[in-house]
Amino acid sequence: MKTIVLKHNSSCHFESRIWSSFEGGARNLYIGSDFRAFFLRYSNAVSSIRSKPSGLEMTILKIIISVAFFFVLSSMCTAQPRPSMLVDAKDIASIKIAVGKYPLFDSAYNDARMKMDAALAAPMDVPVPKDAGGYTHERHKQNYNEMVAAGILYQVTKQEKYARFIKEMLLKYAALYPTLGIHPAAASDSPGKLFWQSLNESVWLVNTIQAYDCVYDWIPSADRKTIEENLFRPMVKFFSVDQSFILNRIHNHGTWMSAAVGMTGFALRDTDMVSMALYGTKKNKQGGFLNQLELLFSPDGYFTEGPYYIRYAIMPFFVFAQSIDNNRPDLKIFEYRDGILKKAFYTMLQLTYTTGQFLPINDALKEKTYSAPEVILALDLSYKKFRNDPSLLSIAKAQNIVTLTGGGVEVAKALSIVKNIAPFPYSSFELRDGADGTEGGLGVLRYGSNDDQMLALMKYTGHGLSHGHYDKLTFLFYDQGREQLQDYGAARFINVEPKFGGRYLPETKAFAMQTIAHNTVTVDEQSHYEGKFDISEKNHADREYFSATDKNLQIMSATCSSAYPDVLMKRTVLMVNDPALSKPVIIDLFRVDGKSNHTYDLPFYYSGQFIFGNTLMNSFTDKQSPLGKANGYQFLWKEAEGTADGMMQFSWLSGKRYYSVSSAADSQTTVYYARIGANDPNINLRREPAVILRKKGTSAVFASIIEPHGLWDGTIEISREASSSVTHITVLASNEQGTVVKVERSSAPSWIVMIANGTAADNIRHIMNINGVEYSWTGKASIQKL
Amino acid sequence: MKTIVLKHNSSCHFESRIWSSFEGGARNLYIGSDFRAFFLRYSNAVSSIRSKPSGLEMTILKIIISVAFFFVLSSMCTAQPRPSMLVDAKDIASIKIAVGKYPLFDSAYNDARMKMDAALAAPMDVPVPKDAGGYTHERHKQNYNEMVAAGILYQVTKQEKYARFIKEMLLKYAALYPTLGIHPAAASDSPGKLFWQSLNESVWLVNTIQAYDCVYDWIPSADRKTIEENLFRPMVKFFSVDQSFILNRIHNHGTWMSAAVGMTGFALRDTDMVSMALYGTKKNKQGGFLNQLELLFSPDGYFTEGPYYIRYAIMPFFVFAQSIDNNRPDLKIFEYRDGILKKAFYTMLQLTYTTGQFLPINDALKEKTYSAPEVILALDLSYKKFRNDPSLLSIAKAQNIVTLTGGGVEVAKALSIVKNIAPFPYSSFELRDGADGTEGGLGVLRYGSNDDQMLALMKYTGHGLSHGHYDKLTFLFYDQGREQLQDYGAARFINVEPKFGGRYLPETKAFAMQTIAHNTVTVDEQSHYEGKFDISEKNHADREYFSATDKNLQIMSATCSSAYPDVLMKRTVLMVNDPALSKPVIIDLFRVDGKSNHTYDLPFYYSGQFIFGNTLMNSFTDKQSPLGKANGYQFLWKEAEGTADGMMQFSWLSGKRYYSVSSAADSQTTVYYARIGANDPNINLRREPAVILRKKGTSAVFASIIEPHGLWDGTIEISREASSSVTHITVLASNEQGTVVKVERSSAPSWIVMIANGTAADNIRHIMNINGVEYSWTGKASIQKL
């Protein structure tokens, strides 16, 4: 008997099916077929043991064994081993073995012990909620962190002090929770009770329920009743009834809430909760976790809110998925939708720069790296789940922390053994956006080793929910381990109470989301989609072409026709490596094609010390005013204004290298030096500089070359090639078929850069006749050297 | 005979004396007595070998031996072993042994070899000088670096390709130099020919002459003649005749030139040059190296120009000193003036922060650390000279580079052997300024380990020559490995050609030197000493008292009565550690005592993200003007203006910690938020923020507490104690005897801070009666907790 059960690897797998099949809810959607499958496999296993029984014998035997087996398992299931959320009994066993063996795991384990020593020695505090980022907020976070640690420690050591800690704290919460109304600092449509928003409360429950699960068996049933009836069930009710619109929402808040409700369902053996979590409060798959897995990710694993928020959402996705895997293995959650969780995880890592920083499109705080705790957990779980993928180890090493999970053990073990850890294999890639992959996308080009990698990003996704920015076709440029042409990110000092309670600052919406805050074109000083969420959310940019196969000529191209009623925007970005260059250059061709006269503004938010500009500028050195009145312009001081005289060029110094932008221009091009900071009385915004090109007309082409050059080392006082090598950049022609640009450089061959604007199949031959000269190329793009 | 010579340790020591005594110049100042001393010692040595000769026998013998010895040595001297500048024959021998043994030395050696492989493969270029920071400038620097490397490599390997390289390059220089007039980009009163200023030319010669010395014996004498007569001698003449005022100047430029001339003298066996270098062009000790050693350093080893320039000057001081030690050991140059070179070296290291950054008072570029090549060389030489002081190894490790010297071998060897390298023993200290130690000084208080050290600096020195700033009693504050209240330093992008040829930018004088650019008091919007060098150079601030013996109450106090005709300024800075505080706090009491009505401005140039200010401000969000018209004020945008309502408090976030300044104020105190950047059309200045307190009246006390607090960690989204704990700070009284200030904090005892303004001997009892309350303390200061 035992042998057969082991053949199926885990009695609990079966148990969860059984258990589900005997309780209410949506179980029958899945359970029946699974049980049938099991029965068949089991029967076959039995068949293979005994040879040649008679037909009747066989039938009777099968029935007897099956019935017996069924009852044995049923009785096992009532005593289903806990924990079974992030860790199961096997993980606990591996943790017991790991302690004292692998330094990184030891460190995590000892941290937990020390944290609990301190917590056990200190007075327990479950304060009445008050603030949105101050003591009570932090204390409730601390409390669940301590409970989670105590839960694991209890499982590993079986010392009752840990279980008692959780029980007592939960009883305090059970006493407090029923007395609470909506949080006094609540400011959104989704308030919490313990926290100012229900999001934080979901996070609290996702954590706390793990602790409860760990010590469930130890807590006297009367106390369990108190805790469940006064705390967990009311909280789940608060979520699933009062805020069902959140739980059903296709948004990371919904995922956190699904995880909270679903895991509570597993812990309380309440399949109704589980079903609501999986399929939405109406259990019709119009909400809940599976729907979120369907709709929040593109087929490539791109998370609709972008890199910064998948960093956050990856935690409820993985925590709940792991819990599902432990409780409902039949769901094969990690294989769901062609392995969408795995894609999401690896895509998330690719959406970091080599420093670990998440590429800060949409609302994003730049201090966030892949060392965020959510990513550490996801990595540990992934490492174990995805067969100890060694490519994850360099990131695990940078994280330098593991979690108290089975995956944490595996990672720590590998890091203590593996000597030469390969760098994470960052690559160029394009990701489609939209649940079905048809809503634009995101292109990332890279060149160079992780030590000094150039990266260019173009964003042509959909809006990306409430944290999306109005920045179609925006462009980011990294080099030397830092942003060189930057995205502002979001204006927020997370959890910093004196800064608007640690919430998003008003300047996020008023400035950081607006188009002019980005390295993309603003038309007529109005943001894309008039800066209106409802319009933008319905639209997206479009992929045109992307190719990174030739490392010396990588290219991405996208269009957007919906940001403005009568302007078609098309941006094509080339990353060009040439033996004559010390570093690759970026060629950035931004074509705006309007039907009437417009003003087109393209900023370059450079990051570093301004060195030189070739435009004669009128500097407002003695009196400074904002660049405009609205749509983000009111936050930009106009430092200087000038009219281009041929090519516009400016250079800055950043780190050990110079950078220049050289852009085709003429006397119709206005140049502004701007700086963030006007209309910002609370100094909420960073005083970052920008150079803005303004062109007027029906159509325009911004043709720029972005060029790293030279070397600066203040320690040894060396400066080389502080000036750009580009002497001219000229748009020879640009039409619906293609754009042809000439780049001239001092003491180097000129380049004729030819790109397709229309069809760009690799075998299509393009011919453009410009002033009697024929320019031709095949496929997407070509550079001809003169 | 040989035995006897060896008894004196080195034939070369003696040789240099002999050689000096038979050539022209100032030799007789020293040589006669030295030779006599040697003769006596030698005679005694001989006496000790032979027992009991008769008196006459003895006399004759002495004469015979002496004469014979004299001639032998004379003949030896013509063949004096080279090299004898930075390295001598013993060093070369130790280098030969070291190669392949100590990784860091190997790295330096292989770098030199690779550099020379590249140089030998490339066309040699000795270009006609053209620019002040561009190709020709860099090329001439590259050339001497290559020659120095070639010289050492020749000595170690005896491969003629290295010697030939130097010879050929020097012949090119010998052909070029006579054709040169003053450098075309020359802009000072001390132009060079190869370089835009003679300073760089001195550096060129200091380096080149070492290379020449290394291959001297290999170069055919006819070529030597060409090189010496067309290059070295004319260059020395250019220095010692045309620019004798530089060579005789008490300034680091003079030291470089002394070193250049003196080392050329050693190489060319020209004692006239050596004498000019040592004693000035008139050889009267009114100029030259020894005079510089006398006058450029205070008795404590403080270099008059400050930390940034001793970083630079340490090189000619140590290079020339080492060359003197090798050629004129009789001068006992490292023992000169009670070991002033050693003091200068260790003082220089103490004048860095734990990051290695030089404390940026006066003209200073902040990127300079103790990893500057000059410091690496000085450290290597010092390590050997000062008996392998292990306290230097942590710095050597951070430098991670050693020089191709005997000291470099020793350091690399130690780093390859020593396992537990102790951190550099940074300490609190006061340094007197002025050649005789009577011209004020500099106080530095520190607390905490090198990992997270708090540092407070007050400057009350003399002016510090041409790079000095008008910033008496200025204050710097470091914490967490970075400046928190910063000094602007200098406005310069060194060697960056597009930025004013890499020279000091005009904004250095116009802004960075001015008083308002510093964390000290400006009176009536006029800089100290009217910003006039001639006046400031004649004056200095004065030390009052300094005590760092009690680590929990460190204090420094200084006054300045000369910066303004009728205002006495007195600043007292306390670094207070208290068990109730997570970090020490600074109490900063700045008393200004005028005879008539004045406007007193005290800025705090904080470094980080503004978080909160408690003053109701009128923000110039839509139109911004400069704070003033002149004396640096014209470079400050007035972002906001307000009137204090009781204590003025503001906070910023920097790194993982919050900082607050809380300052006693009332409705007579105006508060400005300012930002550097007005009247700066070329964006030469960093856009740094400041909060400026303005008080009006005959006298005023700025009583402030500077408080690190809390914790911020964006990765794990933790923010604690974002707000200051200080609720009130009040000046209870301040007179000539003392100042008494009350500091009140939320949920902590209040402090009564009492400091002496007059005499502050440790045993003096001070009693102040304020509104019927008696405050008393003994000595400099006391803090009473209520």
Side-chain angles (χ1 to χ4, degrees), chain A residues 447-489:
Chain A
Y447 192 97
S449 72
N450 290 9
D451 295 335
D452 183 10
Q453 184 184 81
M454 186 179 287
L455 179 151
L457 172 150
M458 180 162 48
K459 181 191 172 199
Y460 38 100
T461 62
H463 187 75
L465 305 185
S466 63
H467 295 293
H469 286 198
Y470 303 92
D471 61 350
K472 292 289 175 276
L473 309 189
T474 195
F475 171 77
L476 290 185
F477 176 60
Y478 282 75
D479 191 38
Q480 255 192 111
R482 59 180 84 188
E483 286 172 276
Q484 301 298 347
L485 289 170
Q486 64 165 319
D487 190 304
Y488 190 88

Side-chain angles (χ1 to χ4, degrees), chain B residues 751-762:
Chain B
W751 288 358
I752 302 293
V753 180
M754 299 167 285
I755 62 154
N757 281 336
T759 316
D762 283 339

Side-chain angles (χ1 to χ4, degrees), chain A residues 133-134 138 141-142 308 311-312 367-369 371-374 493-499 606 609-612 619-626 628-629 634 637 639-640 653 658 673 675 677-687 712-720 722-723, chain B residues 133-134 138 141-142 308 311-312 367-369 371-374 493-499 606 609-612 619-626 628-629 634 637 639-640 653 658 673 675 677-687 712-720 722-723:
Chain A
E138 291 300 329
K141 283 170 68 179
Q142 183 187 330
Y308 181 78
R311 181 267 322 156
Y312 186 58
E367 59 271 16
K368 284 290 182 187
T369 67
S371 292
E374 300 88 354
F493 297 93
I494 198 160
N495 287 339
V496 177
E497 182 64 24
K499 282 290 193 195
Y606 66 95
Q609 168 62 47
F610 183 88
I611 291 294
F612 168 79
S619 292
F620 305 103
T621 54
D622 208 38
K623 193 76 78 183
Q624 207 161 252
S625 323
K629 295 279 178 204
Q634 72 274 32
W637 289 116
E639 290 195 329
L653 171 61
Y658 298 95
Y673 294 171
R675 189 171 301 269
N679 284 297
D680 178 26
N682 297 318
I683 316 183
N684 284 341
L685 295 169
R686 302 189 304 272
R687 269 41 179 167
W712 186 78
D713 187 330
T715 305
I716 53 175
E717 301 189 4
I718 278 185
S719 170
R720 294 198 188 116
S723 300
Chain B
E138 291 299 329
K141 284 171 68 179
Q142 181 187 332
Y308 181 78
R311 181 269 321 159
Y312 186 59
E367 59 271 17
K368 285 289 184 188
T369 67
S371 291
E374 301 90 351
F493 299 92
I494 197 159
N495 287 338
V496 177
E497 182 65 24
K499 281 291 192 195
Y606 66 94
Q609 167 63 46
F610 183 86
I611 292 292
F612 168 80
S619 293
F620 304 105
T621 54
D622 208 40
K623 195 73 82 182
Q624 206 162 254
S625 322
K629 295 280 178 204
Q634 71 273 32
W637 289 116
E639 290 195 330
L653 171 62
Y658 298 94
Y673 294 171
R675 189 171 301 267
N679 284 295
D680 178 25
N682 298 318
I683 316 184
N684 284 341
L685 295 169
R686 303 188 303 273
R687 269 43 178 165
W712 185 78
D713 187 329
T715 305
I716 52 173
E717 302 189 3
I718 280 184
S719 171
R720 295 198 187 116
S723 301

Side-chain angles (χ1 to χ4, degrees), chain B residues 170-182:
Chain B
L170 287 178
L171 287 171
K172 278 181 191 283
Y173 273 105
L176 174 69
Y177 197 75
T179 71
L180 299 178
I182 293 305

Side-chain angles (χ1 to χ4, degrees), chain B residues 737 756-767 776-782:
Chain B
Q737 187 189 6
N757 281 336
T759 316
D762 283 339
N763 56 353
I764 296 270
R765 179 99 184 140
H766 301 270
I767 300 174
S776 66
W777 72 99
T778 302
K780 299 174 175 62
S782 176

Side-chain angles (χ1 to χ4, degrees), chain B residues 300-365:
Chain B
D300 299 328
Y302 178 76
F303 184 67
T304 182
E305 296 188 274
Y308 181 78
Y309 270 96
I310 184 58
R311 181 269 321 159
Y312 186 59
I314 199 78
M315 181 151 172
F317 276 113
F318 268 69
V319 167
F320 194 23
Q322 186 64 54
S323 302
I324 293 169
D325 214 34
N326 281 342
N327 288 283
R328 291 283 306 275
D330 58 292
L331 286 178
K332 295 193 167 83
I333 194 70
F334 282 104
E335 291 162 42
Y336 191 79
R337 205 188 158 199
D338 200 19
I340 195 70
L341 282 163
K342 184 175 181 178
K343 286 180 188 168
F345 173 73
Y346 280 95
T347 293
M348 173 184 72
L349 295 183
Q350 284 290 348
L351 287 170
T352 59
Y353 183 53
T354 52
T355 54
Q357 186 202 32
F358 285 95
L359 299 172
I361 53 169
N362 293 335
D363 281 353
L365 305 186

Side-chain angles (χ1 to χ4, degrees), chain B residues 78-344:
Chain B
T78 14
Q80 181 198 19
R82 297 175 187 261
S84 66
M85 297 287 173
L86 275 191
V87 292
D88 62 11
K90 280 190 181 172
D91 292 324
I92 295 295
S94 80
I95 289 173
K96 284 180 185 166
I97 295 168
V99 171
K101 259 189 169 162
Y102 314 126
L104 214 48
F105 192 83
D106 266 3
S107 169
Y109 187 77
N110 290 330
D111 279 355
R113 281 210 317 182
M114 284 186 331
K115 184 189 339 192
M116 283 315 299
D117 286 351
L120 291 167
M124 189 175 278
D125 191 14
V126 176
V128 175
K130 197 173 126 197
D131 47 69
Y135 171 74
T136 70
H137 179 96
E138 291 299 329
R139 184 71 200 207
H140 289 299
K141 284 171 68 179
Q142 181 187 332
N143 284 349
Y144 69 63
N145 279 321
E146 288 171 359
M147 284 192 279
V148 167
I152 297 290
L153 289 173
Y154 171 73
Q155 281 291 338
V156 175
T157 67
K158 293 293 173 193
Q159 291 182 34
E160 294 200 333
K161 63 182 178 186
Y162 299 121
R164 194 176 306 113
F165 177 85
I166 296 170
K167 184 194 77 175
E168 284 172 11
M169 189 172 271
L170 287 178
L171 287 171
K172 278 181 191 283
Y173 273 105
L176 174 69
Y177 197 75
T179 71
L180 299 178
I182 293 305
H183 190 281
S188 72
D189 63 348
S190 48
K193 292 182 171 182
L194 287 174
F195 293 90
W196 68 282
Q197 55 176 356
S198 60
L199 168 63
N200 305 70
E201 200 139 316
S202 296
V203 175
W204 183 93
L205 184 53
V206 161
N207 282 279
T208 302
I209 203 66
Q210 296 174 47
Y212 183 64
D213 183 51
C214 282
V215 299
Y216 182 96
D217 296 330
W218 180 89
I219 299 181
S221 63
D223 291 333
R224 287 206 300 249
K225 192 160 180 287
T226 307
I227 292 164
E228 292 183 10
E229 291 187 2
N230 293 338
L231 179 62
F232 292 140
R233 288 188 185 278
M235 195 178 273
V236 166
K237 182 159 173 281
F238 175 59
F239 291 164
S240 58
V241 177
D242 299 16
Q243 299 202 7
S244 60
F245 65 99
I246 298 288
L247 199 153
N248 293 333
R249 203 169 154 196
I250 305 308
H251 189 279
N252 78 70
H253 293 197
T255 309
W256 276 105
M257 200 176 270
S258 300
V261 170
M263 290 165 71
T264 307
F266 289 136
L268 271 52
R269 308 300 192 228
D270 186 322
T271 51
D272 193 49
M273 286 185 195
V274 174
S275 295
M276 286 196 296
L278 291 174
Y279 315 115
T281 54
K282 294 181 181 162
K283 301 164 206 161
N284 59 359
K285 229 192 148 180
Q286 296 302 301
F289 190 67
L290 296 179
N291 208 30
Q292 286 153 4
L293 282 178
E294 293 283 354
L295 299 179
L296 282 173
F297 296 97
S298 82
D300 299 328
Y302 178 76
F303 184 67
T304 182
E305 296 188 274
Y308 181 78
Y309 270 96
I310 184 58
R311 181 269 321 159
Y312 186 59
I314 199 78
M315 181 151 172
F317 276 113
F318 268 69
V319 167
F320 194 23
Q322 186 64 54
S323 302
I324 293 169
D325 214 34
N326 281 342
N327 288 283
R328 291 283 306 275
D330 58 292
L331 286 178
K332 295 193 167 83
I333 194 70
F334 282 104
E335 291 162 42
Y336 191 79
R337 205 188 158 199
D338 200 19
I340 195 70
L341 282 163
K342 184 175 181 178
K343 286 180 188 168

Side-chain angles (χ1 to χ4, degrees), chain A residues 126-148:
Chain A
V126 175
V128 175
K130 197 174 127 196
D131 48 70
Y135 170 74
T136 69
H137 179 95
E138 291 300 329
R139 183 71 201 208
H140 288 299
K141 283 170 68 179
Q142 183 187 330
N143 283 349
Y144 70 63
N145 280 319
E146 288 170 358
M147 284 193 280
V148 167

